Amino acid sequence: MKTAFLGLGNMGRPMALNLHKSGLEVVGFDLATSCLELAREAGLQCADSAREAARGAGCIISMLPASAHVEALYLGEQGLMAELPSNTLVIDCSTIAPDSARKVANEAQRRGLVFLDAPVSGGTAGAAAGSLSFMAGGTAEAFERARPWLEKMGANLFHAGASGAGQVAKMCNNMLLAVLMIGTSEALTLGQAHGLDPAVLSEIMTRSSGNNWALEKYNPVPGVMANVPAAKAYAGGFASELMLKDLGLAQEAAAALKASIPLGSLARNLYAAHGLAGHSKLDFSSIIKLFQEPPHES
Amino acid sequence: MKTAFLGLGNMGRPMALNLHKSGLEVVGFDLATSCLELAREAGLQCADSAREAARGAGCIISMLPASAHVEALYLGEQGLMAELPSNTLVIDCSTIAPDSARKVANEAQRRGLVFLDAPVSGGTAGAAAGSLSFMAGGTAEAFERARPWLEKMGANLFHAGASGAGQVAKMCNNMLLAVLMIGTSEALTLGQAHGLDPAVLSEIMTRSSGNNWALEKYNPVPGVMANVPAAKAYAGGFASELMLKDLGLAQEAAAALKASIPLGSLARNLYAAHGLAGHSKLDFSSIIKLFQEPPHES
Amino acid sequence: MKTAFLGLGNMGRPMALNLHKSGLEVVGFDLATSCLELAREAGLQCADSAREAARGAGCIISMLPASAHVEALYLGEQGLMAELPSNTLVIDCSTIAPDSARKVANEAQRRGLVFLDAPVSGGTAGAAAGSLSFMAGGTAEAFERARPWLEKMGANLFHAGASGAGQVAKMCNNMLLAVLMIGTSEALTLGQAHGLDPAVLSEIMTRSSGNNWALEKYNPVPGVMANVPAAKAYAGGFASELMLKDLGLAQEAAAALKASIPLGSLARNLYAAHGLAGHSKLDFSSIIKLFQEPPHES
Amino acid sequence: MKTAFLGLGNMGRPMALNLHKSGLEVVGFDLATSCLELAREAGLQCADSAREAARGAGCIISMLPASAHVEALYLGEQGLMAELPSNTLVIDCSTIAPDSARKVANEAQRRGLVFLDAPVSGGTAGAAAGSLSFMAGGTAEAFERARPWLEKMGANLFHAGASGAGQVAKMCNNMLLAVLMIGTSEALTLGQAHGLDPAVLSEIMTRSSGNNWALEKYNPVPGVMANVPAAKAYAGGFASELMLKDLGLAQEAAAALKASIPLGSLARNLYAAHGLAGHSKLDFSSIIKLFQEPPHES
């Protein structure tokens, strides 16, 4: 059965290639010709339009930058969904607003399609290694039907609930991650200002009730851990501007339901300030710079 | 060698009893007669004053509520330190301001005493079980000399650095813990508002980059975990007012050095609002109430 | 020339009546029959649909709850704009998202209509007294053409800029107002906790650099000022839930452009917590309750 | 009657000179010889020690950097108070912690002295012009007795309450001022990002409910107002590091009484981040830089 993969950027390309390498027939497409070329060079068969890629496919997978792109692809009289035979499986792996995911899911249901929102975590490294985590929203049937594709691209599959729930789970997780990273940065900086060695303080808190993913796996202080962005001037990793985008989705979701998320909102505004100061492209652990004096030049 | 244990409250009493049960000669004291009586009933030998308890002791351990009590006990011409023979080991397990700990340590050094600040984490349950964590500040020699006592009261001994470093480590850890608890509460509440089962969302985030001690060991949503305060109407555990006190120490420490701790400060102010709303005595995971609508009465 | 007034709620009804009393021919409409009846009882001529009210009108004014209502009224093939003769003046007084206002303005321009976004401040009292402030977005020509209508409903007319600018100005003003109210509440509560009479502290700060609209005109401490909501248990005034809505628009607008608004966002989350605690309907100055211990019952 | 003026820095020197020019006999002192010299050059009589300056004086005025300096000057067996004849008037104009002011006041009362805490606002310009505001704490008698001196240095005299109340009033006012400045900066930046002219938006908000001292008298956007620090690259004015100090006093005062001041605390942490980024010496209105992209160089 043919699979169409729409969106061949830094995440989508390695995901599509993993499906291809597993033996599936995959046809890709991207609006950017540079992405198309990179995918073709890597051995992926590509089409000249989303419509052509989707023709005859039993499964459509999309990996696009934001809500607007996903809605533009699928919805409306000109949208792709109007062309798909009923019962086609559609998996959107983009990180978008839960409301947007629900809107697309509703249209899919109206047209007899099987839709899953399935955003990922794990970054470009996880995409290349096929070790992504998927957080999926949709029926249990849709989740099971999608499993063979998801398993070829990722290592952890979570069924979060009904349509939109995959987006909600990812949004909540990433909001919490931002809070962990900033809280960890504050604690390590405060301790250092009071004379503690950040490696010693990290070790103590990791073995105490302050332990968290950012501290244990992704320490933001240069020199404490090898193989993390802090060890290479915050290059690579998960860009601050992407964290800012995810935090923006959380604000929107909170505003829609009158929820109160004071730390999550403050985290967004601190990442916004960090971006304004010119650090958008650095890994999100670089937020610790907000709390440090810049090194004096000699 | 005789050990004096000064401060026999909910933490100090079980700690002193563990030393006593291990075979040491322990003499306790507390200014509150109710505490003295409870300690005597539990089998601890007690004196009628701190001075009497300390007479002839080779090791003095104190466990008091706040900086003012510790300074009053040890410092000044009337203070206990003026009476102790040089080389006496003094271990203060109270949670106090790092500056206060350093002040006491300086006086101890001036008088030829061996001083360690060694605040604990683990709560009353850890004190009873002898499984506390100690975060200690002082010389390596002082830390080694104190080890036999600390090992009888706790399971994890950390040497954080020079005098005051134990207090700094605990303060940083608890500030981070408060941030973890509030961030986790926000994420779970936001997810729930958008239709997710908090148990499912907790499971997903625990296995993802949102993982942290509060989420994994101490879930604040009633019904997700057994044997946590959330399972018993937030009774027991670590009272919100004690968390508020620790967060206050972090503000003071940040202000002293012009450090920036935006999430830590917001956490303090949210705990203060929580206390004003009448929840001081509830476990600190009850902070989730700030983000929830109160249940409707039937 | 006939004027159609669409939306006859607590704000729209007195505004329409002021136009009517000034001698204009006004025909109103509201989807809620209760609002229609109240308007008819007050002497306003009403139609049975927006379409009927608009037929033959040279000026259309709308005053609706939120973006979705405004877009539903005007846009799409079924929308009202498709029916209006070119050059009709359309004034939307609703408080909605700037992006939504720009969308409606673009459609109006495409159809040759003259559109102004003109949200108001001043509340129901200002609407009744004809003393509202209007913050308008659109061309200078549109602003001048609308002036005769706006002057009959308000006392201060501001031309903020191009389409959407009226919404932006109101959104920024109200975000700032929320910050003023919360900041003033914190300062007065902190001073009171340290023994100051809030009336004395209010007087001092009003004559110093802490002066602001909330402190000077709308003191949140009961007993300091007469004729403000604080003097009547926070009844009347500008409901906390409406402030929460406006603060939500500001979050959305900040997220769209990567702006950083830490105090504005924190203000939104505190109003959200205040609403969750059951205070949505109280005037927005009741936010001071977050910082006070509730009075003890006797 | 001789007046001793202790502390001849940027504030104290012009204050002392205003007393001198009014015809009083003033003898000054400062620990820093550079300050002493500047004062002597300006025509002020100076002594070689605080003790000598105070000898025979009926009124002692101090203007020192922080709590520690005030306590060191007055308290203890070596302190100045031990030397003063009873009924001497002592006016401390330093900005210090309320608790510290109360401690000094208690000692003064014990010794039969008349003490007033009387911190000022108005900056170095106000000090030179004799137009300072004084916020005073002490008995009504002390306030009246101090009036002749205060009137020669300032234009507005406020009696805030009992001892310490002057410090509390100033602390609350300045915390509120920081919130006004940051809130105004956020609103103007958000409006500008959405296309509004900051001068137009400032004009609208000044005439609406967003009006406040920072907006009306001290606009932070360069080009909107003349004669404010924003018009001269944020030079002069009230340094960000002094605002940070005052906000630190507010945190301490809130922590001491379990008060909740979320916006005030966030303001402190934003000023701390601003200082870490290298802006300590700029006027406090430069905080708007946190919300702006730095100008691109050509």
Side-chain angles (χ1 to χ4, degrees), chain B:
Chain B
M1 181 168 61
K2 178 180 163 186
T3 298
F5 204 108
L6 309 175
L8 301 171
N10 291 331
M11 291 295 294
R13 195 165 52 247
M15 291 166 71
L17 284 166
N18 278 333
L19 292 177
H20 167 66
K21 286 173 197 158
S22 76
L24 290 184
E25 180 196 353
V26 180
V27 180
F29 177 69
D30 197 293
L31 286 168
T33 47
S34 61
C35 289
L36 268 184
E37 277 166 30
L38 282 170
R40 280 187 174 123
E41 283 167 20
L44 194 75
Q45 185 186 345
C46 291
D48 291 334
S49 71
R51 206 160 295 258
E52 187 193 319
R55 194 165 300 132
C59 172
I60 314 287
I61 302 178
S62 50
M63 187 61 172
L64 299 173
S67 303
H69 308 86
V70 175
E71 295 191 24
L73 171 66
Y74 288 119
L75 304 183
E77 290 309 312
Q78 310 299 318
L80 193 60
M81 280 192 176
E83 310 247 328
L84 299 176
S86 74
N87 208 30
T88 304
L89 175 64
V90 181
I91 307 173
D92 179 45
C93 298
S94 320
T95 294
I96 64 175
D99 278 351
S100 191
R102 289 182 200 116
K103 198 163 143 191
V104 176
N106 286 343
E107 174 81 354
Q109 190 182 21
R110 203 175 63 81
R111 294 186 181 274
L113 308 171
V114 177
F115 181 79
L116 205 69
D117 53 289
V120 306
S121 74
T124 51
S131 65
L132 292 170
S133 292
F134 286 90
M135 303 177 186
T139 62
E141 292 74 25
F143 183 62
E144 288 311 316
R145 227 182 108 186
R147 188 184 288 276
W149 283 266
L150 302 181
E151 280 177 347
K152 291 179 177 67
M153 300 185 286
N156 297 294
L157 312 188
F158 301 110
H159 185 212
S163 284
Q167 298 296 347
V168 174
K170 174 156 186 205
M171 177 185 83
C172 291
N173 183 76
N174 280 19
M175 181 179 84
L176 183 49
L177 172 58
V179 168
L180 302 183
M181 184 54 83
I182 300 177
T184 297
S185 296
E186 292 181 13
L188 290 175
T189 312
L190 180 60
Q192 198 166 11
H194 276 271
L196 267 71
D197 178 337
V200 171
L201 180 55
S202 294
E203 165 71 9
I204 293 174
M205 296 197 300
T206 300
R207 295 173 59 194
S208 306
S209 53
N211 192 31
N212 68 82
W213 191 89
L215 178 68
E216 192 179 3
K217 311 278 195 191
Y218 213 93
N219 200 294
V221 178
V224 172
M225 266 183 199
N227 296 323
V228 292
K232 27 190 178 170
Y234 304 105
F238 181 52
S240 295
E241 66 187 355
L242 294 178
M243 181 54 97
L244 178 60
K245 174 202 159 194
D246 288 0
L247 289 164
L249 294 176
Q251 308 316 302
E252 210 180 297
L257 294 185
K258 303 188 181 179
S260 181
I261 51 166
L263 296 196
S265 289
L266 183 47
R268 196 207 80 85
N269 287 290
L270 295 174
Y271 272 104
H274 191 53
L276 288 166
H279 303 310
S280 301
K281 304 296 181 190
L282 297 184
D283 176 71
F284 81 112
S285 62
S286 66
I287 193 74
I288 198 171
K289 286 173 177 284
L290 259 184
F291 310 119
Q292 296 172 324
E293 247 175 317
H296 292 291
E297 309 201 348
S298 55

Side-chain angles (χ1 to χ4, degrees), chain C residues 17-151:
Chain C
L17 284 165
N18 278 333
L19 291 177
H20 167 67
K21 286 172 196 158
S22 77
L24 290 184
E25 181 196 351
V26 180
V27 179
F29 177 69
D30 198 292
L31 286 169
T33 47
S34 62
C35 289
L36 269 184
E37 277 166 31
L38 282 169
R40 281 187 174 122
E41 281 168 21
L44 193 75
Q45 186 186 343
C46 291
D48 290 335
S49 70
R51 205 161 296 258
E52 187 192 320
R55 194 165 301 133
C59 173
I60 313 288
I61 302 178
S62 50
M63 188 60 172
L64 299 172
S67 303
H69 308 87
V70 174
E71 294 191 23
L73 172 66
Y74 288 119
L75 302 184
E77 289 309 311
Q78 309 298 318
L80 194 59
M81 279 192 177
E83 310 246 329
L84 298 176
S86 75
N87 209 29
T88 304
L89 175 63
V90 180
I91 308 172
D92 179 45
C93 297
S94 319
T95 294
I96 64 176
D99 279 350
S100 190
R102 288 183 201 115
K103 198 163 142 190
V104 176
N106 286 343
E107 175 81 354
Q109 190 183 19
R110 203 175 62 82
R111 294 186 181 274
L113 307 171
V114 176
F115 181 80
L116 205 69
D117 55 288
V120 306
S121 73
T124 52
S131 65
L132 292 170
S133 292
F134 285 90
M135 303 177 185
T139 63
E141 293 72 26
F143 184 63
E144 288 312 317
R145 229 182 108 185
R147 186 183 288 277
W149 282 268
L150 301 181
E151 281 178 346

Side-chain angles (χ1 to χ4, degrees), chain D residues 41-133:
Chain D
E41 283 168 19
L44 193 75
Q45 185 186 345
C46 290
D48 290 334
S49 70
R51 206 161 294 259
E52 185 191 322
R55 194 166 299 131
C59 173
I60 313 287
I61 302 178
S62 50
M63 188 61 172
L64 300 172
S67 302
H69 308 86
V70 175
E71 295 191 24
L73 172 66
Y74 287 120
L75 303 184
E77 291 309 310
Q78 310 299 318
L80 193 60
M81 279 192 178
E83 309 246 329
L84 299 175
S86 75
N87 208 29
T88 304
L89 175 63
V90 181
I91 308 172
D92 179 46
C93 297
S94 319
T95 293
I96 64 175
D99 278 351
S100 190
R102 289 184 201 115
K103 197 162 144 190
V104 176
N106 286 343
E107 174 82 355
Q109 190 182 21
R110 203 173 63 82
R111 294 186 181 273
L113 308 170
V114 176
F115 182 79
L116 205 68
D117 54 289
V120 308
S121 73
T124 53
S131 65
L132 293 170
S133 292

Side-chain angles (χ1 to χ4, degrees), chain A residues 241 244 248 251-252 254-256 258-262 265-266 268-270 272-273 276 280, chain C residues 241 244 248 251-252 254-256 258-262 265-266 268-270 272-273 276 280:
Chain A
E241 66 186 355
L244 179 59
Q251 307 314 304
E252 210 180 297
K258 304 187 180 178
S260 180
I261 49 166
S265 289
L266 183 48
R268 196 206 79 85
N269 287 291
L270 295 174
L276 289 166
S280 301
Chain C
E241 65 186 355
L244 178 59
Q251 308 315 302
E252 210 181 297
K258 303 188 182 179
S260 181
I261 50 167
S265 289
L266 183 48
R268 196 207 79 85
N269 287 291
L270 295 175
L276 288 167
S280 301

